[in-house]
Amino acid sequence: MAKVKYYYDSETLSYRKIKRKKSTTFKYAIIFLTAAALFGFLCFFIASQYIESPKERQMARELQNIELQYELINKRMDDAIAALENVEERDNAIYRLYFEANPIPEEQRRAGFGGINRYKKYEGFDNSQLIAETNKRIDILEKAIVVQSRSLDEIAKLAEDKEKFLEAIPAIQPINNMNLTRMASGYGYRTDPFTKVRKFHFGMDFTAPRGTPIYASGDGVIKRADNSSTGYGNHIRIDHGYGYISLYAHLYKYNVKVNQRVKRGDLIGFVGSTGRSEAPHLHYEIFKDGERINPINFYYGNLSAEEYDKLLKKASLENQSLD
């Protein structure tokens, strides 16, 4: 209950009750309401700065989830780009090379988009850079896929015209893995078994027991089957066309004749140790346009990726050759 206030009236010599004017009451009410509003605004401001509302907490969780999804998308794009790069490498280093087509330049595969800013609509947000960069990567990836798709269409067309070429390429190992003792020596500088001098070895040596079957590595025509080349002993040369010739040396005996046409995988002879040879093995060479090239690049026809990797490691060792 509000206290009643009095004042002393000197004229009547008595105490009189103080009566508040309506204007004063109204003024006090305005002051109270203003103070209450300011206090409420201050509390709201402090709460909005330091205390999250349930809706804000929900929005923060949604934002975190969106950021996580973008990170996952970028990781998936990393995997997709890695897979695409593997296809592109094969496309340039194998397919286009075999079909004598020019490799596609890297700047053409990874070209961006010039002109106007395609990602301006993503500006002004908390994660604008993340969103814009992700969309940019998607666009570049899509373009690279289109370029690669067109390249494969071109390769498919070239393949139709060069089926014979693929059949002629020396593409298999001339001795089955199950018949090999080991891959003794590869292409490159090796120690000569007789002089012990380091010199260039132009083929690959496969050790195997005497009489082990030797197979044609590609379609072609037998051009030589004799022992009239110094050091090779009994040897066979197959002309595959397109500038390719394969040579098989130190044979025990032949299974073909000169001018005979053979197919890839046909039995042409047997392992021996004739000519300049230290032990039974097959010395295998490939010529392209008269120049010896490394045979290690021509075993994609009958070796798995794991087998090829092991062969590649053995062939790179600088050891002693057998011829």
Side-chain angles (χ1 to χ4, degrees):
M1 186 174 184
K3 292 183 178 180
V4 179
K5 295 183 179 181
Y6 297 89
Y7 74 95
Y8 182 74
D9 186 352
S10 58
E11 293 182 358
T12 61
L13 302 177
S14 62
Y15 287 95
R16 292 181 178 275
K17 185 184 298 184
I18 297 176
K19 295 181 179 180
R20 182 178 294 174
K21 296 180 179 179
K22 291 183 179 180
S23 60
T24 302
T25 303
F26 180 74
K27 181 176 69 173
Y28 285 159
I30 292 297
I31 293 173
F32 175 78
L33 291 174
T34 302
L38 289 174
F39 180 76
F41 176 78
L42 181 63
C43 292
F44 175 78
F45 177 78
I46 294 173
S48 65
Q49 293 295 317
Y50 301 100
I51 302 175
E52 289 185 343
S53 67
K55 186 175 181 179
E56 287 175 330
R57 286 195 294 270
Q58 180 182 356
M59 292 177 64
R61 286 195 297 268
E62 291 177 356
L63 182 60
Q64 290 177 350
N65 183 57
I66 291 173
E67 291 175 350
L68 176 61
Q69 294 303 318
Y70 270 99
E71 289 179 4
L72 293 175
I73 289 173
N74 276 283
K75 288 181 180 178
R76 292 177 64 183
M77 278 196 292
D78 288 338
D79 294 338
I81 289 171
L84 179 60
E85 286 176 348
N86 181 267
V87 175
E88 291 171 345
E89 183 179 356
R90 290 171 178 265
D91 184 50
N92 276 347
I94 299 178
Y95 310 137
R96 301 187 73 82
L97 179 63
Y98 285 162
F99 296 116
E100 299 177 358
N102 293 326
I104 298 176
E106 182 66 18
E107 55 269 20
Q108 181 178 341
R109 292 184 182 276
R110 293 288 180 270
F113 301 88
I116 62 173
N117 182 5
R118 299 165 57 91
Y119 311 103
K120 189 174 182 179
K121 60 184 178 182
Y122 302 117
E123 295 177 356
F125 300 98
D126 291 338
N127 295 282
S128 294
Q129 185 176 357
L130 175 63
I131 298 171
E133 188 62 29
T134 300
N135 280 274
K136 182 178 180 180
R137 294 187 69 195
I138 291 174
D139 288 343
I140 293 176
L141 179 60
E142 287 178 346
K143 183 175 181 180
I145 291 173
V146 170
V147 171
Q148 183 57 51
S149 177
R150 291 175 179 172
S151 176
L152 292 177
D153 289 342
E154 180 185 355
I155 294 300
K157 187 175 184 304
L158 290 171
E160 293 176 2
D161 301 331
K162 294 197 175 183
E163 183 177 355
K164 291 183 179 179
F165 170 76
L166 292 176
E167 292 173 349
I169 287 290
I172 65 171
Q173 193 172 268
I175 298 180
N176 287 332
N177 271 345
M178 59 187 297
N179 295 326
L180 290 178
T181 305
R182 63 191 176 96
M183 209 292 293
S185 184
Y187 181 92
Y189 282 98
R190 300 292 185 270
T191 302
D192 186 281
F194 299 99
T195 65
K196 305 305 178 183
V197 174
R198 185 172 178 266
K199 70 175 186 178
F200 203 91
H201 186 245
F202 288 99
M204 296 185 72
D205 291 343
F206 297 94
T207 59
R210 183 173 181 267
T212 298
I214 300 172
Y215 304 98
S217 56
D219 294 5
V221 177
I222 305 296
K223 287 300 181 183
R224 294 185 61 173
D226 56 56
N227 61 357
S228 58
S229 288
T230 303
Y232 287 133
N234 296 333
H235 78 289
I236 293 173
R237 299 190 193 212
I238 301 177
D239 186 347
H240 301 278
Y242 308 97
Y244 287 96
I245 292 176
S246 58
L247 181 150
Y248 314 77
H250 310 304
L251 275 61
Y252 161 58
K253 64 179 181 179
Y254 313 111
N255 194 54
V256 290
K257 297 179 181 179
V258 175
N259 295 326
Q260 178 179 338
R261 181 168 292 278
V262 294
K263 303 285 287 183
R264 179 183 294 152
D266 285 352
L267 176 64
I268 60 173
F270 302 90
V271 170
S273 186
T274 57
R276 194 174 184 274
S277 172
E278 188 180 56
H281 74 286
L282 170 68
H283 176 83
Y284 178 63
E285 294 183 11
I286 293 180
F287 295 78
K288 177 66 169 73
D289 298 327
E291 299 291 332
R292 294 182 178 98
I293 58 177
N294 194 344
I296 195 67
N297 299 316
F298 294 86
Y299 297 135
Y300 62 86
N302 68 337
L303 295 181
S304 66
E306 184 179 356
E307 290 171 335
Y308 181 79
D309 184 60
K310 290 180 180 179
L311 183 63
L312 185 62
K313 290 177 180 178
K314 292 179 181 179
S316 63
L317 298 176
E318 186 171 334
N319 51 16
Q320 177 177 291
S321 64
L322 294 176
D323 48 39

